[in-house]
Amino acid sequence: MTDSTVDVVVIGAGPVGENVADRVVQGGLTAAIVEHELVGGECSYWACMPTKALLRDAAALRAARALPAAGQTVKGDLDPALVLARRDRFTSNWSDAGQVEWLNQAGITLVRGHGRVTGPRIVAVTHSDGTTTTLHANQAVVIATGSSAFLPPIQGLADVKPWTSRDAAGVRSVPERLAIIGGGVVASEMATAFIALGAQVTLVSQSRLLPGVERFAGEQVAAALRSAGATLHLEVDSTEVRRDTAGVVHLTLSDGTSVEADEVLVATGRTPNTKDVGLDSIGLTPGDWLQVDDALAVLDDTGEPVGDGWLYAAGDVNQRVLLTHHGKYQARALGDAIAARARGDQLGLGRWGRHAVTADVHAATQVIFTDPEVAAVGLSAEAAAAAGRKIRVVDYDLGAVSGAALHADDYRGQARMVVDDDRNVLIGFTAVGPDVAELLHAATIAIVGEVPLDRLWHAVPAYPTISEIWLRLLETDGRDR
């Protein structure tokens, strides 16, 4: 057993943990980061990067085929082997050597092994050879262990050895038939990817497709999946799953339908990676999401910070926004705040303050890389109404914008802005359509800046671009009033 003392100990070396440690070190403190898997975490090897690599070739092919001349030059279908090879490059073939080199350059100490909190400001790390290192933190311990795929209690599901998002992201060969249980982002994106790679896809969801975004966006994605050949069973449950002696997976649905597939992917949500990080040593329940205050300090069962406020949680484990970019946003604010506290500086924790994570609540951003894409920020109309906000909703046909018509023949899409009626500011925006992802940041800036719509009239969109949607939304809002 060895002992070591640093200012901050971070458990989890995914993007969130890396950013916490980096900001701490930039603030003049020392940091050690503990990781038992690959440095770089879920996003680098099993989520964001490999899945978007799986989707990109198909998106480029669809874009070419949406134009008459370019479409004529495109012959044949995607070569899955080439798609998977490009995916492998983006995961560095599941080697974290480059990420480790970055930690070294950043002055962050990497401790390989499984980290557990064993007491106030103490983390015990068990190494692969069974030896342990005890890390003592002068300032803080940060849990940034992320989340894993949740397997629902469906009869027989565990016995068929289902795929999770990790298996789908790291697939080595494309099954002829793939069944997907779930209707959220992972389910929709992987349905899009595997159809393009040549699989017959059947998707089963107990809800509508993409229930976390505006209904019209999910409906357009569902229509596109069906048009591409997918079979969708929406608002039904999977009640039983079994694999026969020939290896075929059989799903029984609540409406009596039966589905056969070669593999089944389960994409029904996430569960926090907190089962074995030592929560019981500090009076918390292993396996639970970590509740945090606005400063991301972990709270006990009474709603007070654990101990004297030395324990923090960032990223998925605190369940604020389960998206990598928001986890990194939290990490930057938290790392800077820990360093500022150590210096005795005043913290900016008020709304939109320097060390606050206000965007998690008011401006959460998301792009769903389906066909068509979905881009959303802030509140949906339904969420705003449920929160008791007085709003007005403005919709416009994206296909009617000149830039969209030039972008692709028969362009189909829709945009919506949700406006706070009392303040006349944007509080939500959603767009669905081919290549709408790059529209999102303009909406994000408008929401975060709380820009009055009267001022947005002076943000003149270039013609002919799809961004002209902003002018059309403002014009429609003026006519409707």
Side-chain angles (χ1 to χ4, degrees), residues 161-442:
K161 298 181 179 179
W163 285 6
T164 67
S165 54
R166 281 196 171 197
D167 299 294
V171 66
R172 306 313 307 179
S173 61
V174 179
E176 183 178 339
R177 298 170 299 177
L178 176 66
I180 300 175
I181 300 176
V185 175
V186 173
S188 300
E189 287 189 345
M190 289 301 92
T192 303
F194 278 91
I195 288 172
L197 291 171
Q200 298 175 25
V201 172
T202 302
L203 183 147
V204 181
S205 174
Q206 63 181 197
S207 68
R208 65 181 176 89
L209 200 69
L210 296 174
V213 297
E214 298 279 11
R215 183 176 292 273
F216 68 82
E219 289 174 347
Q220 289 204 21
V221 173
L225 285 173
R226 288 190 174 107
S227 179
T231 300
L232 306 187
H233 298 277
L234 303 180
E235 301 188 55
V236 296
D237 289 320
S238 300
T239 58
E240 183 180 0
V241 184
R242 65 179 179 86
R243 192 186 292 272
D244 65 25
T245 55
V248 177
V249 178
H250 300 264
L251 284 73
T252 301
L253 310 186
S254 57
D255 63 0
T257 304
S258 296
V259 174
E260 292 186 357
D262 300 299
E263 298 293 347
V264 57
L265 164 62
V266 180
T268 55
R270 308 290 292 178
T271 187
N273 292 332
T274 61
K275 289 182 180 179
D276 193 19
V277 294
L279 296 186
D280 50 334
S281 72
I282 50 176
L284 299 178
T285 303
D288 279 359
W289 299 100
L290 296 177
Q291 303 303 308
V292 297
D293 63 15
D294 290 339
L296 302 181
V298 175
L299 304 179
D300 60 24
D301 291 340
T302 69
E304 294 296 321
V306 170
D308 59 356
W310 56 271
L311 183 65
Y312 299 87
D316 281 11
V317 288
N318 64 33
Q319 208 181 14
R320 287 173 66 94
V321 183
L322 274 67
L323 294 166
T324 296
H325 45 280
H326 273 271
K328 292 166 69 175
Y329 161 71
Q330 292 175 18
R332 293 189 294 270
L334 176 57
D336 288 351
I338 291 171
R341 284 191 186 91
R343 295 191 299 267
D345 294 350
Q346 183 74 28
L347 297 188
L349 291 172
R351 179 183 170 97
W352 304 118
R354 176 64 189 85
H355 303 105
V357 284
T358 311
D360 284 351
V361 177
H362 297 288
T365 59
Q366 183 173 33
V367 174
I368 304 170
F369 292 87
T370 45
D371 172 30
E373 290 179 348
V374 180
V377 56
L379 297 175
S380 66
E382 184 178 353
R389 307 288 285 270
K390 183 183 177 184
I391 62 170
R392 62 183 188 270
V393 176
V394 185
D395 291 321
Y396 198 83
D397 176 7
L398 259 178
V401 174
S402 297
L406 286 168
H407 189 80
D409 286 0
D410 301 317
Y411 188 107
R412 292 187 66 247
Q414 183 177 338
R416 167 174 290 178
M417 65 179 186
V418 180
V419 182
D420 184 314
D421 230 358
D422 293 326
R423 296 185 298 140
N424 200 37
V425 298
L426 192 70
I427 59 172
F429 174 82
T430 299
V432 58
D435 303 314
V436 297
E438 300 303 333
L439 291 175
L440 187 60
H441 203 55

